[in-house]
Amino acid sequence: MDIQDKNKEELKSELRILLQENNSLRVQKEKREAELIIAYKELHSQNKEKEKRAAELIIANLELKFQSEEKAKRAAELIIANIELVFQNKEKEKRAAELIIANKELVFQNKEKGKRAKELIKAKEKAEESDRLKSAFLANMSHEIRTPMNGILGFTNLLKKPNVSGEKQQQYIKVIERSGVRMLNIINNIISISKIESGAMEVNVAATNINEQIEYIYTFFKPEAEAKGITLSFKNSLPLKEAIVKTDREKLFAILTNLIKNAIKYSERGSIEFGYMLKKDREPFEVEFYIKDTGIGIEKDRQKAIFERFFQADISDKSAFEGAGLGLAISKAYVEKLGGKIWVESEKGKGSIFYFTLPYHVETKAEKESNIDKEESALESSLIKLKILIVEDNEASSWLLDEMMENFVKEVLYAVNGLEAVEICRNHPDIDLIFMDIKMPVMEGYEATRLIRQFNKKTCIIAETACALEGDREKALEAGCNEYLTKPIAENKLFSFIGEHFQ
């Protein structure tokens, strides 16, 4: 009993302990549950905060990403802006350089305009001077042409009078001859200056004996100089073999003739000396010609102007003499065309020395032999007897050719126009030589020559004309002529051609 009671008591005690523990556990549980509820609430709150924070972080991240993109975009814009700035700076520098160049060009253009304005003023003054001189030239030319024409026509009429003595006839003929030479010289000068102006001047280089040229000119001008009481002398400084040079013989003759003619014209007394010297101080060697006179001299300020065209025709020049004022201009053009230069040294009242140079080109041995053969053939031409046809509408020209060819012909036929010439050639195929005038009625010379060449290729045809214009020679040769001669026909040229062609 006691044991059971004890056990009961123990059990009750344990039960109370267990109840206490259980109550304690319940209290702890409740406390724990309350804590869990609080923790849950805190956790729930924290989760909401986390979600909110996460959302904020997402927003912040998006903002950061946006800002990064904006920064990148801004950086790109800054790069582009920097590139543009560099480009603009380069453009500014380029523009500044262009402005500097433009400014320099503007300064240069202003200078050029000023220079051009001065040139235009000078050109205007020169043109006005040229017009004045040309007008004076035309007035002077009228005088120069009418004067010899007066001599020719006047003394021709005097020759028609009956009972004119032989002595007087010879005097009249000399006047007519001198007037004709003067007229021809004027015409030649006009043609020469026309060729020079148009650039049609040709150079015919051949072996030329300058000693013979000098001696011939001396012989030619000596009577004229002595008639004025002037002593004329010359000086050849080279032996014969060294005096044969390659140049244009006719142009050299024209230059010397013009200069000596002027020396006589502008000298009242005293002396005239001309000649040449070989200059070997530099290569290529040059022949320096000189014409020294004791005439009126030339003022210093006019020594260049005298080589200008029409200078002598300046009617305001009180010292102007007879002449067209073209001789020195032609001489200057000829000298320069032949590769030389011309100048003058002069003092007013004491005389002048004209100088000009030409290249010293000597001919080779083969060329010398060829020239000898030509001279021999020209001599042999005097033995030739030809059947010729003279086609000429001018009776005087036809008669002149007839007289010139007297020693060379066995038979002469005549035609006054191209059509007659063609018919005569058909009927006389054995004609050796035809003198074909160019300007004729009915049919002109070019057409007649072309028709003759259709059935006759052998007969020699010489074109002869008074026109002597640029291109006429080429037209004649193209039509079928063998040679071209200008009126007045030079006998030496004609006979030389006949000798070469019919040798």
Side-chain angles (χ1 to χ4, degrees), residues 188-242:
N188 286 339
N189 280 347
I190 293 171
I191 292 171
S192 296
I193 207 70
S194 175
K195 287 182 178 179
I196 291 165
E197 293 274 4
S198 63
M201 179 172 58
E202 296 179 353
V203 174
N204 300 307
V205 175
T208 303
N209 188 324
I210 54 178
N211 282 356
E212 283 184 3
Q213 286 265 30
I214 294 289
E215 289 167 13
Y216 175 78
I217 289 170
Y218 168 76
T219 304
F220 184 83
F221 282 107
K222 186 180 179 184
E224 186 179 346
E226 289 179 346
K228 290 185 71 174
I230 298 169
T231 302
L232 185 66
S233 61
F234 69 93
K235 180 181 178 182
N236 287 337
S237 61
L238 289 176
L240 179 60
K241 290 183 180 180
E242 296 177 23

Side-chain angles (χ1 to χ4, degrees), residues 143-275:
H143 171 268
E144 288 299 311
I145 292 173
R146 288 174 183 275
T147 300
M149 282 302 297
N150 181 59
I152 293 168
L153 297 176
F155 282 97
T156 301
N157 285 328
L158 289 176
L159 280 172
K160 294 177 184 177
K161 290 183 178 182
N163 304 321
V164 178
S165 67
E167 185 181 351
K168 279 205 177 265
Q169 284 181 352
Q170 291 303 313
Q171 290 174 353
Y172 294 168
I173 290 168
K174 285 181 181 178
V175 172
I176 292 169
E177 186 178 11
R178 284 199 302 270
S179 298
V181 169
R182 181 175 170 185
M183 174 72 84
L184 182 60
N185 185 57
I186 292 165
I187 293 168
N188 286 339
N189 280 347
I190 293 171
I191 292 171
S192 296
I193 207 70
S194 175
K195 287 182 178 179
I196 291 165
E197 293 274 4
S198 63
M201 179 172 58
E202 296 179 353
V203 174
N204 300 307
V205 175
T208 303
N209 188 324
I210 54 178
N211 282 356
E212 283 184 3
Q213 286 265 30
I214 294 289
E215 289 167 13
Y216 175 78
I217 289 170
Y218 168 76
T219 304
F220 184 83
F221 282 107
K222 186 180 179 184
E224 186 179 346
E226 289 179 346
K228 290 185 71 174
I230 298 169
T231 302
L232 185 66
S233 61
F234 69 93
K235 180 181 178 182
N236 287 337
S237 61
L238 289 176
L240 179 60
K241 290 183 180 180
E242 296 177 23
I244 299 175
V245 299
K246 291 168 68 176
T247 189
D248 190 314
R249 186 199 313 262
E250 297 300 323
K251 286 181 175 55
L252 174 58
F253 180 78
I255 297 162
L256 288 168
T257 300
N258 281 332
L259 294 175
I260 294 169
K261 193 186 297 179
N262 279 350
I264 295 171
K265 183 195 299 184
Y266 291 102
S267 298
E268 294 299 327
R269 56 188 175 276
S271 63
I272 296 171
E273 180 188 334
F274 66 101

Side-chain angles (χ1 to χ4, degrees), residues 8-205:
K8 287 180 180 180
E9 286 295 331
E10 284 177 0
L11 287 169
K12 287 179 181 180
S13 176
E14 286 176 358
L15 185 59
R16 282 193 294 275
I17 291 168
L18 288 169
L19 287 170
Q20 285 176 354
E21 286 178 355
N22 187 41
N23 287 335
S24 176
L25 287 169
R26 191 177 66 250
V27 171
Q28 287 180 358
K29 184 181 177 183
E30 291 174 353
K31 185 178 177 182
R32 185 63 181 162
E33 286 176 353
E35 287 177 350
L36 286 170
I37 290 167
I38 292 167
Y40 177 76
K41 287 180 178 179
E42 286 180 356
L43 184 61
H44 183 67
S45 174
Q46 286 175 359
N47 286 336
K48 285 185 177 179
E49 285 294 318
K50 283 180 180 178
E51 288 175 358
K52 184 179 177 182
R53 186 61 181 162
E56 289 175 350
L57 285 171
I58 290 167
I59 293 166
N61 190 43
L62 290 172
E63 286 181 352
L64 185 62
K65 184 180 178 183
F66 175 76
Q67 288 174 359
S68 295
E69 288 176 352
E70 286 294 311
K71 283 181 179 178
K73 185 178 176 182
R74 182 63 181 160
E77 288 174 350
L78 286 171
I79 291 167
I80 293 168
N82 189 45
I83 292 169
E84 287 180 351
L85 187 62
V86 171
F87 176 76
Q88 288 173 1
N89 287 335
K90 287 182 178 179
E91 284 296 307
K92 284 180 180 179
E93 289 174 359
K94 185 179 175 182
R95 184 61 181 159
E98 288 175 350
L99 287 171
I100 290 168
I101 292 168
N103 188 47
K104 288 180 179 178
E105 286 180 352
L106 189 61
V107 170
F108 175 76
Q109 286 173 2
N110 286 335
K111 287 182 179 179
E112 285 296 305
K113 282 180 180 178
K115 185 179 176 182
R116 183 64 180 157
K118 289 179 180 177
E119 287 175 353
L120 286 171
I121 291 168
K122 286 182 180 178
K124 179 175 175 288
E125 291 173 351
K126 190 172 182 180
E128 288 173 349
E129 177 69 6
S130 179
D131 286 341
R132 186 180 69 80
L133 288 178
K134 283 180 180 178
S135 297
F137 167 74
L138 290 173
N140 192 43
M141 191 58 62
S142 175
H143 171 268
E144 288 299 311
I145 292 173
R146 288 174 183 275
T147 300
M149 282 302 297
N150 181 59
I152 293 168
L153 297 176
F155 282 97
T156 301
N157 285 328
L158 289 176
L159 280 172
K160 294 177 184 177
K161 290 183 178 182
N163 304 321
V164 178
S165 67
E167 185 181 351
K168 279 205 177 265
Q169 284 181 352
Q170 291 303 313
Q171 290 174 353
Y172 294 168
I173 290 168
K174 285 181 181 178
V175 172
I176 292 169
E177 186 178 11
R178 284 199 302 270
S179 298
V181 169
R182 181 175 170 185
M183 174 72 84
L184 182 60
N185 185 57
I186 292 165
I187 293 168
N188 286 339
N189 280 347
I190 293 171
I191 292 171
S192 296
I193 207 70
S194 175
K195 287 182 178 179
I196 291 165
E197 293 274 4
S198 63
M201 179 172 58
E202 296 179 353
V203 174
N204 300 307
V205 175

Side-chain angles (χ1 to χ4, degrees), residues 298-306:
I298 306 161
E299 293 176 358
K300 194 77 174 175
D301 60 349
R302 307 196 103 186
Q303 289 179 13
K304 287 186 178 179
I306 59 171

Side-chain angles (χ1 to χ4, degrees), residues 425-436:
C425 285
R426 287 185 190 278
N427 298 326
H428 298 269
D430 58 336
I431 291 173
D432 299 301
L433 175 64
I434 301 172
F435 288 97
M436 182 70 72

